[in-house]
Amino acid sequence: MQVTADMRPLDVLADFPAIPSGWAYLDTAATAQKPRPVIDAITRGYGETYATVHRGVYQRSADMTLAYEAARARAAKFLGAGSADEIVFVRGATEGINLVAQSWAVSQLRAGDRILLSQLEHHSNIVPWQLAAERIGAHIDVLPLTEDQRIDLDAMAEMLTSRHRLVALAHVSNVTGSVLDARRAAELAHGVGAKLLLDGCQAVPRMPVDVGALDCDFYVFSGHKLYGPTGVGVLWGRAELLDAMPPWQGGGSMIDKVSFERTTYAPPPGRFEAGTPHIVGALGLHAAIDYVEAIGLDRIDAHEAALVAETRARLSEINSVRLFGPENSAGIVSFGVEGVHPHDIATILDESRVAIRAGHHCAQPLMEALGVEATARASFGVYNSADDVAALVQGVERVTRIFG
Ligand code: PMP
């Protein structure tokens, strides 16, 4: 295979101890492998510097509080947030969306208000809104997709009404890799006075993100898809929105003063972080952000775009392969092989030491729109190279031979 400039490996594979030689890990959209600096930050956090945050008066705890808050400031800078106080640490994107649904939506929306989602959303950007809508008496509308499975923003322009209070969309689809024109989505949403939440799970690991430039109102992502630990993620919200939001979970740390007569709450972000947080997770996330920024998100974007282009070109040469999503998808290629269940594709690829995901990818409404039960999905990360694409294509050719 001809190796183009951008398909040269980023030369970081040696940073990833859990990727053995000859194993093509193509499931980064599910979760990314961890580089040594992230593993070291976690080991140091538990093995050398561990203590609680925000409470202890002793030096170790004060130092850990500084480190935890430094991670928050790092996440703010990473997203282009106005202030670290706009960064709420959560368990992941799922929890971030549930927080906005249960706190912002339940307190701000009224019966009859409308929420706009799209057909390609992950279940975690659907079900929290259904739960909130049920409590509020609000309605959910669903944006259709274009022929190449992007969110149809022309349809959005037609569907939006003054009853729409919130639009919640994936910045990058976890199934098709399609990239939202987030600025246009923000302009349309704001045009009717609605807020825009972006699910950035699949965007932050593969492209530069600046919430100011995108002009969204909430942004969420999970640490584990950004080469960081599981159990930690970020909700960014505009300061004035967070300020007006009630707590959604009660407990230690989120209060100002507690009495049985009347409890008052801490300002954001503490108001939304009840209980002892995932302290070391935040340190790991800090290291992960440093790691991807040291490589450069523009470089990662270009690298993955080249791998996607090669994958799509090579797979489209195989007659029985059906490719989903737009040509210029970001880091993710979903496909099917005629007459073969995606689980069988993944099992046969596994025999060739190629790891892909097969299933509905927590996007059953999208599967319905595609007219399939499941897809096979290859997704790329910083450690992948043209060799991994070659292994994938050979594996798929083997699938077609086995199934005749
Ligand atoms: N949204 C998208 C687009 C995702 O890809 C995922 C993870 N597959 C999620 C939300 C949920 O992320 P988590 O399970 O880490 O909360």
Side-chain angles (χ1 to χ4, degrees):
M1 178 187 314
Q2 197 195 348
V3 177
T4 65
D6 282 329
M7 274 177 57
R8 273 188 318 222
L10 291 172
D11 270 337
V12 296
L13 191 53
D15 294 343
F16 291 83
I19 304 182
S21 166
W23 188 50
Y25 182 71
L26 298 176
D27 199 18
T28 297
T31 198
Q33 295 292 333
K34 312 308 170 200
R36 186 55 78 186
V38 169
I39 297 167
D40 288 347
I42 295 166
T43 306
R44 236 184 355 264
Y46 284 123
E48 289 176 38
T49 63
Y50 191 66
T52 194
V53 292
H54 297 149
R55 285 183 258 262
V57 288
Y58 50 92
Q59 190 60 46
R60 174 73 76 82
S61 175
D63 290 345
M64 193 50 123
T65 302
L66 288 177
Y68 181 72
E69 292 304 321
R72 192 189 307 279
R74 187 70 185 87
K77 186 161 170 268
F78 178 62
L79 287 181
S83 139
D85 290 343
E86 294 181 327
I87 299 293
V88 181
F89 282 128
V90 286
R91 278 195 297 134
T94 301
E95 188 173 71
I97 296 169
N98 276 279
L99 196 169
V100 177
Q102 291 303 321
S103 172
W104 182 82
V106 168
S107 65
Q108 301 293 321
L109 270 57
R110 300 283 164 265
D113 282 345
R114 308 190 80 87
I115 295 169
L116 187 59
L117 309 176
S118 90
Q119 187 80 37
L120 61 65
E121 299 309 314
H122 189 282
H123 295 165
S124 39
N125 198 26
I126 299 174
V127 184
W129 305 116
Q130 291 176 321
L131 294 171
E134 225 165 88
R135 278 182 70 182
I136 301 161
H139 304 284
I140 291 174
D141 297 309
V142 183
L143 285 171
L145 305 181
T146 59
E147 238 168 60
D148 60 355
Q149 288 113 33
R150 286 174 296 110
I151 297 172
D152 188 342
L153 294 184
D154 292 335
M156 179 171 167
E158 283 174 20
M159 285 172 70
L160 276 172
T161 66
S162 59
R163 287 318 298 261
H164 286 97
R165 303 286 312 283
L166 178 84
V167 181
L169 301 174
H171 193 182
V172 171
S173 159
N174 65 309
V175 179
T176 61
S178 59
V179 184
L180 178 75
D181 179 350
R183 275 200 70 97
R184 182 167 178 224
E187 210 176 290
L188 291 171
H190 293 160
V192 296
K195 304 295 180 211
L196 176 66
L197 176 142
L198 293 177
D199 170 358
C201 263
Q202 301 297 343
V204 292
R206 36 184 68 92
M207 61 183 62
V209 170
D210 181 317
V211 291
L214 297 175
D215 201 27
C216 56
D217 301 290
F218 295 104
Y219 199 94
V220 296
F221 73 84
S222 295
H224 70 99
K225 296 184 196 264
L226 184 66
Y227 308 94
T230 52
V232 69
V234 163
L235 160 66
W236 168 83
R238 285 185 193 278
E240 65 270 24
L241 297 177
L242 293 178
D243 275 340
M245 282 161 56
W248 78 307
Q249 290 178 340
S253 296
M254 49 74 73
I255 52 91
D256 169 35
K257 191 163 183 349
V258 177
S259 75
F260 281 109
E261 289 69 41
R262 181 165 180 268
T263 290
T264 51
Y265 307 115
R271 186 187 300 162
F272 306 109
E273 294 181 11
T276 305
H278 188 1
I279 302 164
V280 175
L283 307 189
L285 179 60
H286 189 156
I289 293 173
D290 284 346
Y291 184 80
V292 291
E293 289 211 326
I295 297 173
L297 280 145
D298 282 320
R299 265 181 85 206
I300 295 172
D301 190 8
H303 175 70
E304 293 192 18
L307 295 177
V308 162
E310 180 68 12
T311 302
R312 292 186 71 96
R314 295 290 307 276
L315 287 181
S316 66
E317 288 165 4
I318 304 172
N319 276 339
S320 51
V321 167
R322 175 182 174 197
L323 285 168
F324 300 102
E327 283 299 321
N328 60 350
S329 61
I332 298 169
V333 178
S334 259
F335 62 96
V337 176
E338 213 180 298
V340 187
H341 194 284
H343 284 164
D344 292 330
I345 302 173
T347 304
I348 292 167
L349 285 172
D350 189 40
E351 290 169 1
S352 316
R353 305 190 71 211
V354 176
I356 64 156
R357 171 94 182 259
H360 55 61
H361 316 291
C362 299
Q364 287 177 350
L366 174 56
M367 296 300 114
E368 202 182 319
L370 297 177
V372 295
E373 249 177 59
T375 73
R377 180 188 71 183
S379 56
F380 298 108
V382 292
Y383 27 67
N384 293 123
S385 68
D387 291 345
D388 299 321
V389 176
L392 171 72
V393 173
Q394 279 163 21
V396 174
E397 283 167 351
R398 184 163 167 258
V399 170
T400 61
R401 282 198 301 277
I402 289 172
F403 282 83

